[in-house]
């Protein structure tokens, strides 16, 4: 009788365990600081990637107006900010800048996930942990301070669920890529963060019964970006010297899947702690998105993972700044093994008619800003196209990919 009872108890506990695993595939991650995120009724999910706003007293009004206007146009389901939001001198100024930018997202009622860049806390006036606490004062923030368990502050993930049955369908990885290493080089994601990713990735696959496709976001680009570019021996147009080296230049490799434009030297960390190798091994990360390199807006494929940089999201009022902008990423619930992305530059965001409409509505400041973007952007855009054309004509080399 005792043996039968033990068997019955074992079977009962096994059923409970199996049920818990099955139900966990539909469970909401309670580590988030706000309501869970879902694909919409049409199975769509849109991410707006904002990075390197470098807000200052001189550019904050124009930059935030442009960001708010972009939100109205794009209607994102989440905004991901990958660091270098501002750099200021006092705690009071820090609080003011956080309030200015987060109030925009609060008003638009859009969830915001923040990871930090190398400039966010380098002044020493506020720690990354205290800065994260400031962002999390706002109900729109879904950013997480991972505590002392991981290096840095703000390595976490954001699951996206099916609206129909609540099942986890996609995932967004957020990594704190640090600021500088002990030798003064740019930092990167460290070993303990890589192990956290591997364990979490394996956990989701075990619970859900399949790999959950995902995208990763962080500030500093990974060293593998150079493995996806082509090394050449001398300086050429649209070829850039590799950081930390002498006389070693890189440009787009026509034999690698490329998108966008390379306009400055990619600046990864000096050391490599195996982040991309782990993602290639796990096979669930489709693409990685970075800021840091302000004027680069390209994607290169490395071992099946798209390494993608996004433009600095600000406006400074000069011709150079008109090529800045933001990135949009669209995911379809019916096929989460792929995604669509595009880079939106300010100089392609408005028409003369837009300025006239704002002027007619009495918003002369917006009309002036749009006119300035259109005027400066005309020269910036055509100078860029002319440069691409000259290189193509004389060398046959493509330096800008659709």
């Amino acid at each position: 009788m005792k043996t039968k009872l033990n068997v019955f108890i074992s079977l009962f506990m096994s059923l409970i365990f199996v049920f818990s695993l099955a139900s966990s595939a539909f469970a909401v991650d309670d580590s988030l600081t706000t309501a869970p995120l879902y694909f919409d009724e049409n199975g769509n999910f849109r991410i707006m990637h904002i990075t390197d706003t470098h807000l200052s007293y001189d550019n904050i009004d124009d930059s935030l107006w442009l960001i708010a206007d972009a939100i109205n146009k794009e209607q994102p389901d989440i905004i991901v900010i990958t660091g270098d939001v501002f750099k200021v001198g006092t705690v009071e100024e820090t609080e003011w800048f956080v309030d200015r930018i987060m109030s925009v997202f609060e008003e638009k009622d859009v969830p915001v996930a923040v990871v930090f860049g190398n400039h966010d806390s380098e002044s020493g006036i506020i720690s990354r942990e205290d800065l994260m606490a400031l962002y999390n004062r706002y109900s729109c923030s879904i950013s997480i301070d991972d505590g002392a368990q991981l290096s840095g502050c703000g390595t976490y993930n954001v699951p996206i669920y099916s609206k129909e049955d609540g099942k986890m369908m996609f995932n967004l990885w957020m990594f704190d890529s640090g600021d500088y290493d002990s030798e003064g080089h740019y930092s990167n994601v460290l070993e303990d963060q890589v192990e956290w990713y591997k364990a979490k990735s394996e956990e989701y696959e075990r619970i859900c019964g399949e790999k959950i496709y995902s995208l990763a976001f962080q500030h500093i680009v990974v060293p593998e970006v150079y493995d996806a570019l082509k090394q050449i021996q001398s300086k050429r147009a649209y070829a850039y010297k590799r950081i930390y080296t002498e006389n070693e230049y890189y440009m787009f490799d026509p034999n690698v899947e490329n998108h966008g434009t390379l306009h400055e030297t990619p600046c990864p960390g000096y050391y490599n702690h195996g982040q991309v190798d782990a993602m290639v091994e796990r096979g669930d990360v489709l693409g990685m998105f970075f800021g840091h390199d302000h004027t680069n807006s390209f994607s290169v494929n490395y071992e099946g993972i798209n390494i993608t940089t996004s433009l600095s999201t600000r406006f400074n009022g000069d011709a150079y700044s008109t090529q800045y902008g933001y990135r949009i990423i669209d995911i379809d619930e019916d096929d989460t093994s792929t995604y669509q992305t595009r880079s939106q530059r300010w100089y392609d965001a408005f028409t003369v008619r837009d300025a006239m409409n704002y002027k007619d509505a009495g918003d002369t400041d917006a009309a002036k800003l749009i006119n300035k973007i259109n005027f400066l952007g005309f020269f910036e855009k055509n100078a860029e196209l002319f440069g691409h054309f000259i290189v193509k004509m004389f060398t046959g080399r493509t330096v800008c990919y659709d």
Side-chain angles (χ1 to χ4, degrees), residues 275-305:
Q275 180 188 16
V276 176
D277 287 343
M279 291 177 173
V280 171
E281 180 183 344
R282 286 295 305 142
D284 57 2
V285 175
L286 305 175
M288 305 179 73
F289 294 84
F290 309 91
H292 194 45
D293 304 329
H294 299 166
T295 59
N296 283 338
S297 179
F298 66 79
S299 182
V300 290
N301 190 274
Y302 173 79
E303 298 289 338
I305 296 177

Side-chain angles (χ1 to χ4, degrees), residues 35-41 43-48 71 74-80 109-113 140 142 158 160 163 172 328-331:
L37 303 182
Y38 295 91
F39 286 90
D40 67 19
E41 58 275 6
N44 301 318
F45 191 87
R46 171 164 288 185
I47 303 164
M48 178 183 286
I71 294 172
E74 304 289 1
Q75 293 295 300
D77 296 294
I78 186 176
I79 290 169
V80 177
D109 194 27
V110 185
V112 180
C140 61
I142 60 171
V158 180
I160 305 171
K163 200 173 189 69
L172 307 178
I328 291 294
I329 307 158
D330 289 312
I331 308 161

Side-chain angles (χ1 to χ4, degrees), residues 79-314:
I79 290 169
V80 177
I81 302 177
T82 52
D84 283 7
V85 180
F86 50 83
K87 183 181 178 181
V88 294
T90 68
V91 173
E92 290 74 19
E93 287 178 316
T94 300
E95 292 178 340
W96 185 82
F97 275 94
V98 170
D99 181 68
R100 284 296 307 275
I101 190 168
M102 292 301 285
S103 293
V104 172
F105 308 134
E106 196 94 315
E107 179 185 343
K108 302 298 181 184
D109 194 27
V110 185
V112 180
V114 176
V115 294
F116 295 129
N118 55 295
H119 291 307
D120 286 304
S121 60
E122 70 177 352
S123 66
I125 65 166
I126 189 169
S127 68
R128 282 163 122 76
E129 290 74 18
D130 289 341
L131 186 56
M132 184 67 83
L134 288 182
Y135 282 108
N136 283 339
R137 288 179 180 179
Y138 299 84
S139 61
C140 61
S141 174
I142 60 171
S143 309
I144 295 174
D145 177 358
D146 42 273
Q149 63 178 339
L150 291 174
S151 297
C153 175
T155 295
Y156 57 101
N157 70 288
V158 180
I160 305 171
Y161 302 93
S162 170
K163 200 173 189 69
E164 183 176 343
D165 57 16
K167 181 180 179 182
M168 182 177 175
M169 296 294 296
F170 204 79
N171 191 38
L172 307 178
W173 302 101
M174 307 292 165
F175 291 97
D176 181 6
S177 54
D179 45 24
Y180 307 95
D181 64 26
S182 59
E183 299 168 1
H185 309 113
Y186 287 122
S187 186
N188 49 24
V189 171
L190 302 179
E191 291 96 334
D192 63 326
Q193 296 167 286
V194 175
E195 292 304 315
W196 168 84
Y197 154 73
K198 289 165 61 177
K200 198 77 171 177
S201 171
E202 290 168 358
E203 176 188 356
Y204 281 134
E205 181 176 10
R206 183 175 63 254
I207 290 173
C208 299
E210 60 183 349
K211 288 186 186 295
I212 300 298
Y213 288 114
S214 59
L215 301 173
F217 295 84
Q218 64 196 60
H219 182 72
I220 298 176
V221 69
V222 291
E224 283 81 2
V225 65
Y226 285 106
D227 295 321
L229 298 173
K230 181 178 181 179
Q231 183 180 352
I232 57 176
Q233 299 305 314
S234 61
K235 173 65 176 170
R236 299 181 194 174
Y238 298 99
Y240 298 89
K241 179 181 173 295
R242 180 170 183 166
I243 190 173
Y244 314 124
T245 66
E246 295 292 337
N247 300 319
E248 192 173 314
Y249 297 90
Y250 286 79
M251 63 184 189
F252 279 139
D253 186 343
N255 296 318
V256 174
E257 182 184 346
N258 300 305
H259 303 278
T261 53
L262 174 65
H263 278 320
E264 65 175 291
T265 296
C267 295
Y270 185 81
Y271 295 103
N272 192 334
H273 299 285
Q275 180 188 16
V276 176
D277 287 343
M279 291 177 173
V280 171
E281 180 183 344
R282 286 295 305 142
D284 57 2
V285 175
L286 305 175
M288 305 179 73
F289 294 84
F290 309 91
H292 194 45
D293 304 329
H294 299 166
T295 59
N296 283 338
S297 179
F298 66 79
S299 182
V300 290
N301 190 274
Y302 173 79
E303 298 289 338
I305 296 177
N306 293 321
I307 297 174
T308 304
T309 61
S310 294
L311 294 168
S312 173
T313 313
R314 55 173 160 162

